[in-house]
Amino acid sequence: MGTDEHMYSISILREEEYMEFVLNLSDELTILDALDEIRYTMDSSLQYRHSCHHGSCGTCACIIEGTQRLACMTRLSEFPDRKISVRPLDSFRIISDLVVDISSMVQKMPVNSYLRDSELNTEVLPPDGIASWVRFENCIECGSCISACPVSERFLGPSPLAAIHTEILKRKDPDEIRELRALAYGETGVSGCDKHFICSRVCPVKVSPGKHITELRREQ
Amino acid sequence: MSNRLGHIVVIGGGGTGIATMYDLCRRGFKVTLIERGELTSGTTGRHHGQLHCGARYAMGDRNIARECMHESEILRKIAPQAIEYNKGLFVAVDDEDMSYREQFIEACLESDIPAQEIPVPQALNYEKALSVKIKAAVVVPDGTIDPWRLVISFAAGALETQNAQICPYTEVIAINTSDEHIDSISVVDHTNGEQRTIDADLFINAAGPWAGQIAQMAGIPLQVAPSPGTMLVVKGRMSNMVVSRLHKAGDGDIIVPQRGLTIIGSTQWLSEDPDIVRIHEGDIPFLYESAEAMFPGFSEQKFHTAWAAARPLYGVSQDAEDVRALSRDFAAIDHEIADKIDNMVSIVGGKATTLRGMGEVATDMVCKKIGVEIPCTTADIVLPSHREFYKRGYHGN
């Protein structure tokens, strides 16, 4: 794909210091492609998370030129001066290089359904054997919103609150809903949000966690 | 780390290695899984996302088709939250496709796949993006997988048994053998640069397209051809069902919806190096054109991205002429017989849909090798949610 190649300077925060890698890359490639290229041709010790390479798994989120982005969905051509800094997400424990441990976020999410009804063709009954058309939730649990959220007090955070909200909307059992609401309106719940809405701005899949928090407040 | 049954090292943290680890742990083995990067970062995570009921393979190989049907039913039962199960449609677009229709349905039925032809207007009602020119439509039980979340659910299941230790970012640098036996492997932990050796009673090579390189470290020749393909994604969910072209399995003939995206794949070529796989020139226009035959309007959707990944095809020489004709089957190889290494098993080939079955076959082989009979239970136990994975000791928590 694409034949325009240029020298790029990719500076990656490793432990305390940025390490610069200068290499020739096609403008069409992504930051994740660049990381692969560095790892396989320059430094096999470079570590980063990745899996699907198309913005669905959420593993490759990092801070690219100061903003939380998915490395696989960020193209080199977005950076005309060809100098790009990459560092791990804030607010998570760093395992190595760009690898962070997102357990602290996922542990706050309800372990319930990751499926929801599809918004497509809702008026048409699906084939026999299927109760309703389904699809995965939008949130890919990448951690970008947690990293960008400026709230420093104990707070569940944007994506866990969004997950709790979507779960409340899906649940029918009043006891389950009561439990979820207790989380949403508890000490570390929606009251902790300072309404910066940076979460919604950085979300790579437009979950709009800020909107979910606003709606939770309205439904209190 | 050892118990009565022994300690097993699994090399490779893709679908195959993780499902194998899970089955071994369920049967009581202690397992250490070694993966040089993030789990599923090689091939599994990058697959098209189709849960194959086997219809695609029915004409070519009834056994593979039957196996896909069997395994896809099991996955729907044990990992329902990692699958968008909306079934699939095979659509005939031209006269040649039509001439294929009857034998296709017959082959599916012979493979225990409940393929059912439906009237064209009904298909167009199910999926509005379909070309109004389609001539026939057959419903089959396909679906969409979230590969990352499916596989880490298996990993969560393994961690739940307390028999698993998962070591990501850890690369095998040597396999240390003596007297037709592997004593240990040497690894480097990239998170701290430290090297160490890991002893085990038995070693399983589940390195996908890298399995040939791993076998080579033990002096074993193993033919695995890295065979990449390109996938193209547009924004917007154009269908709920997986839509395939009703013809002989080829390139660019499967459209898989997933979340708010629509993915067409794939292409296929042979590569020597599975590390860096770049999209082939010409693949993107080809995939757009192929998609248009089934979904006119696909090209007008906003481009999302495109990617490539190397499939691990077993038993293939680099000069194979028709890559599509190569088997999607998998094989478990006991290297004691062929290569005189008495404690190594390779599990190679296969597809994401058959990951659990591959784990079962590999674990059966291990049990047979050490002379124990322990039944497989992985088809009957619902896996934990993918979110449990992070609570169960990954990253040393």
Side-chain angles (χ1 to χ4, degrees):
Chain A
M1 224 173 123
T3 48
D4 282 354
E5 291 196 357
H6 290 98
M7 292 304 279
Y8 280 86
S9 152
I10 315 277
S11 293
I12 302 167
L13 186 63
R14 306 185 74 181
E15 297 188 14
E16 306 288 298
E17 284 176 28
Y18 277 96
M19 192 181 280
E20 187 190 20
F21 297 91
V22 178
L23 66 167
N24 202 32
L25 292 164
S26 162
D27 299 340
E28 300 283 337
L29 296 178
T30 64
I31 299 292
L32 179 55
D33 293 326
L35 296 174
D36 277 345
E37 196 78 29
I38 293 167
R39 176 176 168 218
Y40 290 127
T41 65
M42 300 169 90
D43 186 343
S44 66
S45 71
L46 179 68
Q47 295 301 308
Y48 45 93
R49 304 184 73 213
H50 64 120
S51 176
C52 79
H53 291 227
H54 64 277
S56 291
C57 71
T59 59
C60 70
C62 48
I63 299 181
I64 300 166
E65 280 293 296
T67 307
Q68 287 75 9
R69 309 278 303 265
L70 296 179
C72 73
M73 292 303 300
T74 307
R75 298 206 178 262
L76 298 175
S77 55
E78 288 185 40
F79 307 94
D81 67 353
R82 301 186 191 115
K83 286 188 191 329
I84 306 166
S85 72
V86 187
R87 63 183 175 92
L89 292 179
D90 294 323
S91 307
F92 295 107
R93 184 170 69 96
I94 294 171
I95 305 283
S96 169
D97 296 335
L98 300 173
V99 178
V100 293
D101 176 7
I102 63 160
S103 314
S104 56
M105 169 186 72
V106 181
Q107 282 171 0
K108 292 173 192 157
M109 295 178 153
V111 179
N112 282 315
S113 60
Y114 193 61
L115 287 171
R116 66 173 203 200
D117 285 343
S118 168
E119 56 271 54
L120 195 70
N121 285 352
T122 46
E123 72 289 358
V124 181
L125 280 178
D128 287 347
I130 298 176
S132 61
W133 302 112
V134 291
R135 50 155 292 180
F136 300 126
E137 286 290 353
N138 272 331
C139 178
I140 53 174
E141 302 151 340
C142 68
S144 292
C145 59
I146 300 279
S147 168
C149 177
V151 173
S152 55
E153 292 88 57
R154 271 184 71 227
F155 176 46
L156 281 170
S159 56
L161 281 167
I164 289 166
H165 185 229
T166 52
E167 206 56 41
I168 288 173
L169 298 177
K170 278 193 282 190
R171 293 280 137 185
K172 301 261 176 339
D173 183 334
D175 288 339
E176 286 174 357
I177 293 173
R178 200 173 304 124
E179 254 176 60
L180 289 161
R181 285 177 60 91
L183 276 175
Y185 306 120
E187 248 178 71
T188 58
V190 291
S191 59
C193 169
D194 283 345
K195 301 180 190 169
H196 293 273
F197 291 102
I198 302 172
C199 53
S200 294
R201 281 211 299 278
V202 299
C203 176
V205 283
K206 300 191 170 61
V207 166
S208 302
K211 200 171 135 206
H212 281 285
I213 294 172
T214 306
E215 283 171 17
L216 275 171
R217 279 197 166 114
R218 201 179 305 136
E219 292 154 13
Q220 191 163 2
Chain B
M1 194 183 183
S2 169
N3 67 358
R4 187 181 59 82
L5 285 170
H7 174 217
I8 296 178
V9 163
V10 174
I11 301 167
T16 309
I18 290 170
T20 302
M21 163 180 70
Y22 172 61
D23 198 328
L24 287 164
C25 289
R26 278 257 162 246
R27 292 198 222 188
F29 292 91
K30 293 283 184 191
V31 181
T32 303
L33 182 129
I34 305 296
E35 163 56 49
R36 72 171 176 167
E38 175 59 278
L39 302 183
T40 75
S41 61
T43 293
T44 305
R46 272 182 260 180
H47 91 100
H48 199 153
Q50 184 182 15
L51 177 77
H52 272 291
C53 73
R56 180 174 174 80
Y57 305 111
M59 290 290 288
D61 188 325
R62 306 279 198 280
N63 287 328
I64 294 180
R66 206 168 281 124
E67 186 170 59
C68 282
M69 184 61 212
H70 180 64
E71 288 300 328
S72 63
E73 276 186 299
I74 292 173
L75 288 184
R76 274 159 36 206
K77 193 174 70 181
I78 66 171
Q81 295 301 321
I83 297 165
E84 292 181 357
Y85 182 55
N86 295 309
K87 297 203 176 181
L89 277 176
F90 274 73
V91 295
V93 170
D94 58 24
D95 290 338
E96 203 184 324
D97 293 359
M98 279 306 273
S99 68
Y100 192 72
R101 175 184 56 158
E102 273 180 36
Q103 29 175 342
F104 167 78
I105 295 173
E106 201 180 294
C108 285
L109 297 177
E110 280 173 17
S111 311
D112 307 325
I113 299 162
Q116 192 195 2
E117 184 166 8
I118 57 168
V120 166
Q122 192 181 343
L124 295 175
N125 190 36
Y126 281 151
E127 297 302 354
K128 311 288 189 279
L130 271 176
S131 165
V132 293
K133 294 181 195 154
I134 63 164
K135 293 165 183 285
V138 179
V139 176
V140 299
D142 280 341
T144 301
I145 300 175
D146 181 323
W148 162 249
R149 289 175 177 79
L150 173 67
V151 173
I152 65 168
S153 297
F154 275 88
L159 292 169
E160 201 175 62
T161 66
Q162 314 246 328
N163 285 335
Q165 188 190 8
I166 302 178
C167 307
Y169 317 111
T170 303
E171 185 163 2
V172 179
I173 49 174
I175 295 181
N176 312 306
T177 58
S178 63
D179 298 331
E180 302 180 348
H181 184 83
I182 299 175
D183 301 318
S184 63
I185 56 170
S186 299
V187 300
V188 57
D189 180 343
H190 287 304
T191 65
N192 55 23
E194 283 170 19
Q195 292 190 12
R196 65 180 196 273
T197 59
I198 303 172
D199 306 332
D201 302 293
L202 208 140
F203 297 82
I204 296 182
N205 173 15
W210 291 268
Q213 294 175 16
I214 293 293
Q216 193 59 47
M217 288 186 191
I220 295 169
L222 184 69
Q223 288 269 354
V224 179
S227 169
T230 302
M231 261 67 66
L232 165 69
V233 199
V234 293
K235 292 186 197 297
R237 184 183 180 92
M238 298 184 74
S239 68
N240 287 317
M241 303 169 88
V242 173
V243 177
S244 307
R245 184 90 180 254
L246 205 171
H247 65 186
K248 185 165 177 264
D251 288 348
D253 53 4
I254 306 173
I255 297 177
V256 179
Q258 179 245 92
R259 294 187 176 77
L261 302 171
T262 306
I263 307 165
I264 177 142
S266 173
T267 57
Q268 187 155 350
W269 66 93
L270 287 175
S271 155
E272 294 205 357
D273 178 14
D275 280 352
I276 295 186
V277 178
R278 294 267 179 263
I279 291 163
H280 264 195
E281 193 93 20
D283 276 3
I284 307 268
F286 166 78
L287 288 170
Y288 268 120
E289 195 189 322
S290 307
E292 284 286 319
M294 293 183 279
F295 286 7
F298 186 94
S299 307
E300 273 109 76
Q301 300 290 120
K302 210 170 161 198
F303 173 79
H304 182 69
T305 194
W307 83 94
R311 305 170 186 83
L313 300 187
Y314 172 57
V316 184
S317 66
Q318 287 290 331
D319 53 4
E321 275 180 12
D322 181 5
V323 192
R324 273 288 166 209
L326 301 174
S327 178
R328 293 297 190 280
D329 208 354
F330 66 84
I333 302 137
D334 182 347
H335 294 293
E336 187 165 5
I337 302 154
D339 309 292
K340 301 211 168 13
I341 292 284
D342 70 2
N343 60 341
M344 187 175 189
V345 165
S346 288
I347 176 91
V348 290
K351 297 178 285 299
T353 298
T354 58
L355 83 171
R356 189 215 62 88
M358 294 173 76
E360 177 175 350
V361 168
T363 307
D364 283 349
M365 184 174 273
V366 169
C367 288
K368 197 172 155 208
K369 265 180 90 64
I370 62 167
V372 293
E373 266 185 57
I374 311 167
C376 173
T377 56
T378 59
D380 304 310
I381 298 169
V382 176
L383 291 166
S385 153
H386 72 270
R387 286 178 183 159
E388 293 279 1
F389 168 69
Y390 294 99
K391 306 181 184 181
R392 294 264 176 204
Y394 189 55
H395 291 320
N397 292 306

